[in-house]
Amino acid sequence: LEEVHSWWASDEVFELMKNRDVVMEKMSLHTIDGLVSSFEGTKKRATLGDKLLLLEIVQMDSFKPMQRYVDSYKSKAIKAPKDIGTMCNLLFAEGISGVLINEFPVQVACASCWRTRSDLLSWYEAPGYQKELLPLRFSSARCLTVVLPMWEEKKETFDATRRRGSVAAGMKLRSLNF
């Protein structure tokens, strides 16, 4: 936590905050107690083969559904190899533990890393996710779900992947934004 506060007090963050009206209208910065140690950059995840990050930022209406969502998310991640046939590399699924700046309320954040788009889609389309997690989100929360690349791929790799038909998978991933 000391490193976070040191970063928060840095000149770089001061400059960002001073000029943020150009970059963003509102922002929130939170700390989350996660399942893995923090690390800088994506090289560590890249060595494990992770290429995509699924990030869910959730504003829940009440505590009980929020806690059930987090517990269910963790449980589904542990059972993923058996249920969907692939590992869910869960970074965290927790309630917010600290607030640095809060211009829009957030109570829960979940993040997981995936090797391929098809692995991520298997997670999202799995019956457990669709029948348990999505209904909780729809009934008790407002959520922003995004899929982010872990690092920029070379243009040649991107073009080859696109030719192999990953456009269909990309279209499905676009529907993840709620």
Side-chain angles (χ1 to χ4, degrees):
L1 194 57
E2 188 175 313
E3 291 175 357
V4 171
H5 288 288
S6 175
W7 168 81
W8 180 241
S10 71
D11 292 339
E12 292 86 1
V13 173
F14 175 77
E15 287 300 316
L16 174 68
M17 296 301 290
K18 185 172 80 174
N19 299 314
R20 76 187 178 107
D21 60 330
V22 174
V23 179
M24 65 197 81
E25 183 179 325
K26 291 186 177 188
M27 77 187 256
S28 287
L29 294 170
H30 304 277
T31 58
I32 300 167
D33 295 332
L35 299 174
V36 296
S37 301
S38 61
F39 56 89
E40 187 174 331
T42 59
K43 289 184 181 179
K44 181 178 177 183
R45 299 303 313 172
T47 60
L48 300 174
D50 295 333
K51 295 182 180 177
L52 298 168
L53 174 73
L54 174 64
L55 178 63
E56 298 183 38
I57 301 169
V58 184
Q59 175 191 6
M60 290 285 192
D61 296 333
S62 63
F63 177 77
K64 201 170 191 172
M66 176 189 80
Q67 191 59 49
R68 196 166 75 214
Y69 186 83
V70 168
D71 292 344
S72 295
Y73 201 100
K74 289 178 187 177
S75 173
K76 302 278 179 242
I78 291 168
K79 295 176 185 174
K82 184 178 132 208
D83 292 347
I84 63 172
T86 190
M87 281 287 296
C88 172
N89 297 316
L90 183 64
L91 295 178
F92 54 82
E94 298 290 340
I96 300 302
S97 57
V99 177
L100 300 174
I101 184 171
N102 191 16
E103 294 183 346
F104 52 89
V106 173
Q107 285 83 26
V108 173
C110 303
S112 54
C113 296
W114 300 91
R115 292 177 184 225
T116 65
R117 289 178 181 159
S118 61
D119 289 348
L120 193 151
L121 286 171
S122 295
W123 166 260
Y124 181 75
E125 293 174 346
Y129 192 97
Q130 291 290 317
K131 292 179 181 174
E132 192 172 341
L133 293 175
L134 279 184
L136 266 174
R137 263 194 359 220
F138 287 139
S139 68
S140 305
R142 292 182 11 198
C143 180
L144 170 67
T145 302
V146 293
V147 177
L148 305 164
M150 295 289 285
W151 69 87
E152 187 175 325
E153 294 186 39
K154 293 181 180 177
K155 184 176 179 350
E156 300 83 33
T157 304
F158 176 76
D159 288 342
T161 303
R162 199 164 100 194
R163 281 191 297 272
R164 285 194 313 257
S166 69
V167 172
M171 295 303 286
K172 285 184 180 179
L173 286 177
R174 286 186 185 151
S175 70
L176 291 177
N177 292 327
F178 294 97

